[in-house]
Amino acid sequence: MITTLVQTEVLPTDLQTVEEFENWQRQHVSEGSFEFLDGRIIQKESIKQDEAFIANFLLRTFMQTTAFQKGDMLLPELDSYVSETRKRVPDLTYFTAEEIQQMRQKVRVKSKFAIEILSDSESFEDVIEKVQDYFDAGGLLVWYIVPKQQKIYVYASPDESKAYKGNEVISAAPVIADFQFEVSQMFS
């Protein structure tokens, strides 16, 4: 029997770890994905149809890289483990071929490069908290895409970012040296 999680169902408040949350989640099948933050279950908005062009552009551009040729992947909506009590689900995240093999062995892999698309419901505090989580987990690079501004904010650390727009070239170096493009190409 499959139980479907509906919005009227009360989410548990007594879960303390990602493992407890994932065990509970296996028993309560639902649409969409959820992040788990120190006992809080947060429904994650999926990529919207009017944002699909962004994901499509990024995935197609990534497929032209040496990393892709080696078997590395840029994957949508995949779990990224921060700690025993925190799990994020970036809009897109990069994993090497080795890390993908580790996942097959049930290793909880942490993202080194996460890409988020700003949603209307996210606050500045939400963005900063996510960026901090990715770096706390050992991340090396975070891109935050703001479609309404046609900008990409690049975080090389949780405390410093640079905005790219127009004909400026954005690069995923040092994580993926040849993953680069003019920002305007993504929005044209």
Side-chain angles (χ1 to χ4, degrees):
M1 181 171 126
I2 297 178
T3 304
T4 303
L5 176 66
V6 293
Q7 290 185 331
T8 57
E9 184 174 341
V10 177
L11 298 175
T13 58
D14 60 338
L15 304 176
Q16 299 299 312
T17 67
V18 169
E19 187 172 348
E20 290 173 351
F21 166 67
E22 289 178 338
N23 288 335
W24 174 85
Q25 197 173 26
R26 280 186 205 84
Q27 298 170 9
H28 298 83
V29 178
S30 65
E31 289 187 23
S33 58
F34 295 86
E35 295 182 325
F36 185 77
L37 307 174
D38 301 323
R40 291 181 298 140
I41 300 170
I42 300 169
Q43 184 160 15
K44 169 117 168 55
E45 288 188 37
S46 59
I47 296 173
K48 306 290 182 250
Q49 284 190 358
D50 63 350
E51 300 166 340
F53 73 93
I54 294 171
N56 182 50
F57 175 84
L58 292 170
L59 292 167
R60 288 180 174 278
T61 303
F62 176 77
M63 289 190 304
Q64 299 170 24
T65 66
T66 305
F68 178 77
Q69 300 305 318
K70 293 188 317 185
D72 298 358
M73 295 296 296
L74 187 63
L75 299 167
E77 308 285 334
L78 193 65
D79 296 340
S80 181
Y81 295 93
V82 177
S83 69
E84 295 298 317
T85 62
R86 296 178 80 79
K87 177 178 82 167
R88 291 289 185 177
V89 182
D91 291 321
L92 294 162
T93 189
Y94 168 73
F95 290 108
T96 65
E98 288 176 20
E99 290 169 331
I100 293 166
Q101 288 302 316
Q102 290 174 350
M103 289 177 202
R104 291 184 74 182
Q105 305 302 317
K106 307 258 190 256
V107 173
R108 290 183 170 168
V109 180
K110 300 174 181 188
S111 179
K112 290 182 184 73
F113 174 35
I115 301 173
E116 291 280 2
I117 301 170
L118 184 69
S119 68
D120 291 336
S121 64
E122 284 183 296
S123 69
F124 178 72
E125 290 79 19
D126 294 333
V127 171
I128 297 304
E129 184 180 17
K130 281 186 184 184
V131 169
Q132 185 67 56
D133 275 350
Y134 293 129
F135 282 99
D136 285 351
L140 303 173
L141 185 64
V142 177
W143 286 358
Y144 233 103
I145 300 170
V146 184
K148 288 181 180 176
Q149 295 178 358
Q150 295 191 357
K151 289 183 181 178
I152 302 174
Y153 290 84
V154 175
Y155 290 85
S157 81
D159 299 320
E160 59 181 272
S161 68
K162 180 178 181 199
Y164 290 81
K165 64 181 180 179
N167 294 330
E168 294 178 305
V169 175
I170 187 169
S171 170
V175 181
I176 312 166
D178 59 344
F179 186 34
Q180 58 186 15
F181 54 89
E182 288 183 14
V183 174
S184 60
Q185 292 175 309
M186 186 169 67
F187 293 105
S188 61

